[in-house]
Amino acid sequence: MAGAKRLLLVEDDRSLADLITFHFERDGYVVTRTGDGEEALILAEEIRPDIMVLDWMIEGISGIEVCRRLRRRPATANLPILMLTARGEEDDRVRGLETGADDYITKPFSPKELVARAAAVLRRVRPALAAQALDYGGLEMDLVAHRVKRDGKNLSLGPTEYRLLRHFLENPGRVFSRQQLLETVWPHSEEIELRTVDVHIRRLRLAIGEPDLIRTVRSAGYALDAVMA
């Protein structure tokens, strides 16, 4: 679903993971889940989630170690992390937060509160995801009216170019591979070829006009970047 928030859920209790997934999907999130710490580290870089809900006690390496390693990696250093655990002692909470968690919720918990806490973290860390308007480099997108302007002038965008630009505006400066853009912007990406991304990038560039704000990163992908190399 284009524009949907992406959650990486790391929880090895299947019934609890099912419950959490249900509540987040009902709130409009696209949920990817795993119960393994090593796989969580891989998925965090592959799918580039908007937020992670991370259990402390999981298979393989612990959640606290997953958090520590993610904070050391440039690609995931700023990933919002909400730690979920049965360890509710003050020292454990302090350790979790000092390791890099943005929030900490103990079991048992209310799924509705968990969703609300995740939304609060996103508003604080990634305000663009909660906004009704986005702007960058002279581009303005009204998410309610579905209108786009550049330097005050209206732009004419097709539905796909609109979704593509919205994704870039929500993540300015961040480089996305063609595969990542395909999976995020196109609802049925398994039916679409990678070169389709290039076609729509060209159309978006034409619609935006000069100077070009879409940076091509060789062998990596594309980024919305007002500071061109």
Side-chain angles (χ1 to χ4, degrees):
M1 181 165 42
K5 297 181 288 291
R6 301 177 301 280
L7 167 72
L8 177 55
L9 171 61
V10 188
E11 170 60 66
D12 61 357
D13 182 327
R14 181 167 296 183
S15 60
L16 182 56
D18 287 342
L19 180 65
I20 294 172
T21 298
F22 170 79
H23 282 273
F24 273 97
E25 288 182 342
R26 189 171 67 174
D27 205 56
Y29 288 77
V30 174
V31 180
T32 301
R33 48 193 272 190
T34 180
D36 181 83
E38 293 286 357
E39 187 176 25
L41 290 169
I42 295 170
L43 288 171
E45 297 216 26
E46 283 185 350
I47 69 172
R48 301 294 178 94
D50 296 302
I51 188 167
M52 172 187 281
V53 172
L54 175 64
D55 190 5
W56 186 313
M57 304 300 292
I58 51 176
E59 297 175 10
I61 61 176
S62 69
I64 202 81
E65 181 61 23
V66 169
C67 185
R68 183 178 291 111
R69 293 187 191 183
L70 290 173
R71 290 293 178 246
R72 290 173 179 169
R73 298 177 178 181
T76 55
N78 298 315
L79 170 64
I81 299 174
L82 197 159
M83 188 160 283
L84 178 66
T85 179
R87 305 177 65 148
E89 296 299 321
E90 181 180 6
D91 288 348
D92 292 325
R93 293 198 299 272
V94 170
R95 185 182 173 196
L97 294 170
E98 287 182 344
T99 302
D102 295 284
D103 200 356
Y104 190 105
I105 188 166
T106 56
K107 301 175 182 178
F109 61 92
S110 159
K112 290 183 179 179
E113 180 186 356
L114 178 61
V115 174
R117 295 274 284 272
V121 168
L122 280 173
R123 284 195 299 271
R124 184 172 72 247
V125 181
R126 297 276 309 280
L129 291 174
Q132 292 188 321
L134 302 170
D135 64 88
Y136 181 82
L139 286 168
E140 301 172 49
M141 176 176 283
D142 185 329
L143 300 177
V144 178
H146 278 243
R147 292 196 182 103
V148 181
K149 294 181 179 181
R150 182 170 190 187
D151 298 328
K153 297 181 180 179
N154 289 320
L155 301 181
S156 179
L157 299 180
T160 302
E161 286 72 47
Y162 179 91
R163 294 195 302 268
L164 193 57
L165 180 59
R166 175 173 177 171
H167 184 62
F168 280 131
L169 285 169
E170 287 175 342
N171 303 275
R174 184 170 165 183
V175 179
F176 292 96
S177 68
R178 291 168 177 81
Q179 186 63 43
Q180 288 171 334
L181 291 172
L182 202 61
E183 292 171 356
T184 302
V185 176
W186 277 262
H188 305 290
S189 59
E190 67 277 1
E191 303 171 6
I192 307 294
E193 296 181 1
L194 282 176
R195 61 185 179 183
T196 300
V197 175
D198 300 321
V199 171
H200 287 279
I201 288 288
R202 285 197 296 271
R203 291 179 182 174
L204 180 57
R205 281 172 160 156
L206 285 173
I208 291 174
E210 297 293 336
D212 187 3
L213 293 178
I214 308 296
R215 178 165 58 100
T216 300
V217 183
R218 190 171 182 178
S219 301
Y222 298 102
L224 181 68
D225 196 345
V227 182
M228 303 299 293

